[in-house]
């Protein structure tokens, strides 16, 4: 910062400002007018950043900035006054009226910074005291040092900039790679779904054709077998009658040959039946494979409103949660822990092969059916302690295990028709998947439009 003493500011009096007014009391128009005075033409070549008048001291403080260019401008400012004999040393040496009338200027130093007046207060408030290199060093060396320092900092910042750019490029590459992987994964998933649907549909069609043909052939062969059996029985009866009468007829050889032919044809028909049974089993295997494929597809496309997967043989936890929340609300371990313990215990009960709470009852038309034994001790205790809703979850699980996994006695996942509350048939699954796929295509087309 440069200090300029004994500034003539009489031209500012017309603005209505007192000579002793503070800087913050000056009218902005007066300061603008002052900047346009002769001082501007005198010091504009020194490029001061700003000028701060202290009217009560009759001086100006010129702020040249804190960078290297500001330092050079401040030096040139001080040199102009030193060359005219109006530097700080001259100001301190002069006495009398000239000290207050002539204009002096210099660079603010440590002595000015520590002054206990408005100048020192301003410098401490607006500036920072810095120690310059030793005076014996030439300014060119100092400038070279500063230049090298700045060059080093610029190189460091350029290095950091290059590093940041590399990080940005690497991040963009990773994002691009991740996006490609996502698109590839989605494409693979869609292809897999499409392939599974095609395989499922092909297996179902082939199995249905084989089963239909096998059933038709089996019925036809059974009719032939029955007809042949009837004919064979008639021949046996006729032969027996002839043997009883002791009649030797010329047609005996013919009858015997007919019997032999009938036996051979019967054996051939039995072989054909066995072959048809094998084909039927093969068709059933294809259907089972198709059901396995449908389970994988429904894991993605299924829902609990129409066709989806269900864990049959598992306990429905909602009635348990409601009952335990009421019965064990003050339990020391919390009702959630108690509920988890009870459900775990009853899941083990369901897996116990020695516990089979069913009984056989006679129904209409003289038929018999297995039903839950409502008098079973364990079930009675469950219903008494926790209510009918909890009791029915165990009953439903028992029926499902008996129907879908009687040998294993553990829950399994199967395709389920939630609308009708039963296991989904293969044709229902295919129809659902086809409709779902068409709906997805329509939504995709509308979104693209």
């Amino acid at each position: 910062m440069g200090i300029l003493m004994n500034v003539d500011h009489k031209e500012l009096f017309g603005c209505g400002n007192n000579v002793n007014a503070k800087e913050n009391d000056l009218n902005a128009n007066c300061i603008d007018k002052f900047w346009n005075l002769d001082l501007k033409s005198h010091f504009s070549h020194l490029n001061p950043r700003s000028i701060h008048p202290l009217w009560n001291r009759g001086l100006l403080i010129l702020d040249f900035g804190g960078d290297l260019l500001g330092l050079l401008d401040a030096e040139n400012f001080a040199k102009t006054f030193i060359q005219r004999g109006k530097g700080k040393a001259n100001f301190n040496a002069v006495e009398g009226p000239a000290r207050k009338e002539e204009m002096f200027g210099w660079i603010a130093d440590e002595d000015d910074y520590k002054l206990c007046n408005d100048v020192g207060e301003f410098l401490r408030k607006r500036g920072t005291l810095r120690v310059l290199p030793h005076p014996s060093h030439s300014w060119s060396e100092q400038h070279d040092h500063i230049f090298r320092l700045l060059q080093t900092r610029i190189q460091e910042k350029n290095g950091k900039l290059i590093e940041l750019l590399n990080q940005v490029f690497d991040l963009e590459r990773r994002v691009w790679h991740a996006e490609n992987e996502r698109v590839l994964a989605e494409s693979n998933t869609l292809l897999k779904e499409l392939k599974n649907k095609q395989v499922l549909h092909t297996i179902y069609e082939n199995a249905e054709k084989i089963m239909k043909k096998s059933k038709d052939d089996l019925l036809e062969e059974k009719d032939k077998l029955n007809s042949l059996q009837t004919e064979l029985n008639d021949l046996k009866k006729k032969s027996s009658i002839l043997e009883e009468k002791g009649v030797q007829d010329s047609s005996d050889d013919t009858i015997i040959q007919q019997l032999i032919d009938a036996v051979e044809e019967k054996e051939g028909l039995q072989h054909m039946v066995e072959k048809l049974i094998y084909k039927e089993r093969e068709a059933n295997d294809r259907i089972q494979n198709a059901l396995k494929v449908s389970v994988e597809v429904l894991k993605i496309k299924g829902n609990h409103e129409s066709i989806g997967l269900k864990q049959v043989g598992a306990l429905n936890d909602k009635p348990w949660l409601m009952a335990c929340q009421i019965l064990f609300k003050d339990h020391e371990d919390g009702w959630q822990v108690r509920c988890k313990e009870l459900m775990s215990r009853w899941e083990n009960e369901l897996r116990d092969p020695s516990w089979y709470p069913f009984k056989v009852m006679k129904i209409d038309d003289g038929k018999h059916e297995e039903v839950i034994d409502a008098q079973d001790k364990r079930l009675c205790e469950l219903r008494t302690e926790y209510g009918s809703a909890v009791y029915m979850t165990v009953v439903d699980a028992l029926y499902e295990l008996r129907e879908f996994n009687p040998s294993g006695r553990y829950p399994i996942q199967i395709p389920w028709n939630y609308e009708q509350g039963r296991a989904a048939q293969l044709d229902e699954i295919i129809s659902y998947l086809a409709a779902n796929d068409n709906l997805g295509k329509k939504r995709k087309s509308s979104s693209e439009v």
Side-chain angles (χ1 to χ4, degrees):
M1 293 186 182
I3 297 177
L4 190 62
M5 294 294 295
N6 301 328
V7 179
D8 185 6
H9 50 272
K10 293 179 181 180
E11 295 188 25
L12 295 179
F13 293 168
C15 298
N17 291 287
N18 191 285
V19 174
N20 295 322
K22 297 291 185 179
E23 176 188 357
N24 55 359
D25 294 329
L26 287 175
N27 186 284
N29 293 329
C30 295
I31 295 176
D32 292 340
K33 182 179 179 181
F34 178 74
W35 176 241
N36 291 319
L37 296 177
D38 290 340
L39 291 175
K40 179 178 180 181
S41 61
H42 290 162
F43 302 111
S44 59
H45 66 283
L46 299 176
N47 303 315
R49 305 289 176 87
S50 59
I51 296 179
H52 305 276
L54 298 178
W55 303 127
N56 60 335
R57 301 283 297 176
L59 57 84
L60 296 177
I61 296 179
L62 287 73
D63 187 354
F64 294 97
D67 54 9
L68 179 60
L69 294 177
L71 178 60
L72 295 175
D73 291 335
E75 288 177 357
N76 293 330
F77 165 76
K79 286 178 181 179
T80 58
F81 284 93
I82 291 173
Q83 291 170 358
R84 291 158 47 192
K86 303 296 181 181
K88 184 175 183 180
N90 306 108
F91 177 78
N92 292 331
V94 72
E95 293 181 359
R99 181 182 177 92
K100 296 182 179 180
E101 294 177 358
E102 297 182 7
M103 189 180 296
F104 296 86
W106 62 86
I107 296 179
D109 56 14
E110 184 176 1
D111 295 334
D112 300 315
Y113 186 82
K114 294 181 178 179
L115 288 174
C116 297
N117 54 26
D118 294 343
V119 176
E121 182 180 352
F122 179 87
L123 294 175
R124 287 190 293 274
K125 182 178 179 182
R126 299 293 185 92
T128 303
L129 184 63
R130 298 180 183 176
V131 179
L132 293 176
H134 194 275
S136 62
H137 296 171
S138 65
W139 281 112
S140 61
E141 293 177 349
Q142 298 174 26
H143 295 166
D144 291 342
H145 173 72
I146 294 173
F147 178 78
R148 287 193 297 271
L149 181 62
L150 292 175
Q151 192 175 30
T152 302
R153 291 183 179 178
I154 290 173
Q155 290 176 354
E156 291 177 355
K157 291 189 178 294
N158 285 338
K160 290 183 179 180
L161 179 61
I162 293 173
E163 183 180 352
L164 290 174
L165 288 175
N166 289 334
Q167 291 178 2
V168 170
F169 292 150
D170 184 61
L171 183 60
E172 290 178 347
R173 182 182 59 80
R174 291 183 182 180
V175 170
W176 178 82
H177 184 66
E179 182 66 17
N180 284 347
E181 288 186 346
R182 184 186 66 80
V183 173
L184 182 61
E186 290 180 355
S187 301
N188 290 336
T189 302
L190 292 175
L191 289 174
K192 186 177 180 181
E193 289 180 10
L194 181 61
K195 183 178 180 181
N196 286 338
K197 288 179 183 178
Q198 292 174 346
V199 171
L200 186 66
H201 191 68
T202 303
I203 291 175
Y204 174 73
E205 287 184 345
N206 293 337
E208 193 175 38
K209 291 178 181 178
I210 293 173
M211 288 188 67
K212 184 177 180 181
K213 188 175 185 304
S214 299
K215 287 180 180 179
D216 294 341
D217 293 344
L218 185 61
L219 290 175
E220 183 179 351
E221 297 301 329
K222 282 184 178 179
D223 291 340
K224 289 182 179 180
L225 186 61
N226 292 332
S227 175
L228 184 60
Q229 187 68 39
T230 301
E231 185 178 352
L232 182 60
N233 291 334
D234 292 341
L235 290 174
K236 286 182 178 180
K237 289 180 181 179
K238 185 175 181 181
S239 177
S240 299
I241 293 172
L242 292 174
E243 287 179 358
E244 289 177 359
K245 293 181 177 182
V247 177
Q248 185 67 28
D249 194 351
S250 60
S251 62
D252 287 349
D253 294 337
T254 303
I255 293 173
I256 293 172
Q257 186 62 41
Q258 289 177 350
L259 287 172
I260 294 172
D261 294 339
V263 171
E264 290 178 351
E265 188 174 356
K266 180 181 178 181
E267 291 177 352
L269 289 174
Q270 287 178 341
H271 178 71
M272 180 64 70
V273 169
E274 291 175 356
K275 186 175 180 180
L276 291 175
I277 292 173
Y278 173 78
K279 288 184 177 180
E280 186 175 8
R281 289 177 180 174
E282 186 179 15
N284 286 331
D285 291 340
R286 289 177 176 271
I287 292 175
Q288 293 301 319
N289 291 333
L291 287 174
K292 291 179 181 178
V293 175
S294 69
V295 168
E296 297 300 321
V297 177
L298 289 176
K299 285 180 180 179
I300 303 173
K301 295 292 186 181
N303 60 61
H304 289 176
E305 296 179 358
S306 54
I307 304 295
L309 295 178
K310 181 183 178 183
Q311 195 84 356
V312 294
L315 293 175
N316 181 5
D317 60 348
K318 290 184 180 179
W320 288 85
L321 293 172
M322 294 177 63
C324 292
Q325 189 173 6
I326 297 172
L327 296 174
F328 304 109
K329 62 179 180 179
D330 297 327
H331 195 274
E332 57 183 2
D333 295 330
W335 65 268
Q336 296 95 335
V337 175
R338 184 62 180 149
C339 180
K340 187 176 180 180
E341 292 174 350
L342 284 172
M343 290 188 67
S344 178
R345 171 196 158 193
W346 276 97
E347 285 171 353
N348 292 332
E349 295 279 2
L350 290 172
R351 288 164 177 72
D352 184 7
S354 63
W355 183 51
Y356 194 74
F358 289 92
K359 64 179 181 179
V360 179
M361 290 188 63
K362 188 175 182 180
I363 57 176
D364 297 338
D365 300 331
K367 296 181 180 179
H368 293 79
E369 183 180 358
E370 276 190 338
V371 296
I372 289 291
D373 185 4
Q375 303 303 320
D376 181 82
K377 183 179 178 181
R378 300 185 195 181
L379 293 178
C380 289
E381 291 176 355
L382 177 66
R383 182 165 49 188
T384 302
E385 292 183 18
Y386 303 106
S388 298
V390 172
Y391 164 80
M392 287 306 300
T393 63
V394 177
V395 171
D396 292 340
L398 285 168
Y399 275 123
E400 289 175 354
L401 288 173
R402 186 192 64 174
E403 181 178 357
F404 297 105
N405 193 16
S407 58
R409 289 290 290 270
Y410 57 84
I412 58 173
Q413 261 189 343
I414 65 168
W416 192 261
N417 187 329
Y418 284 92
E419 293 179 348
Q420 301 184 17
R422 58 172 175 79
Q425 302 297 324
L426 190 57
D427 56 343
E428 295 175 338
I429 298 171
I430 294 175
S431 299
Y432 165 76
L433 292 176
N436 186 271
D437 188 52
N438 291 333
L439 180 61
K441 290 179 179 178
K442 289 180 180 179
R443 289 177 177 173
K444 184 176 180 181
S445 300
S446 61
S447 64
E448 288 176 352
V449 173

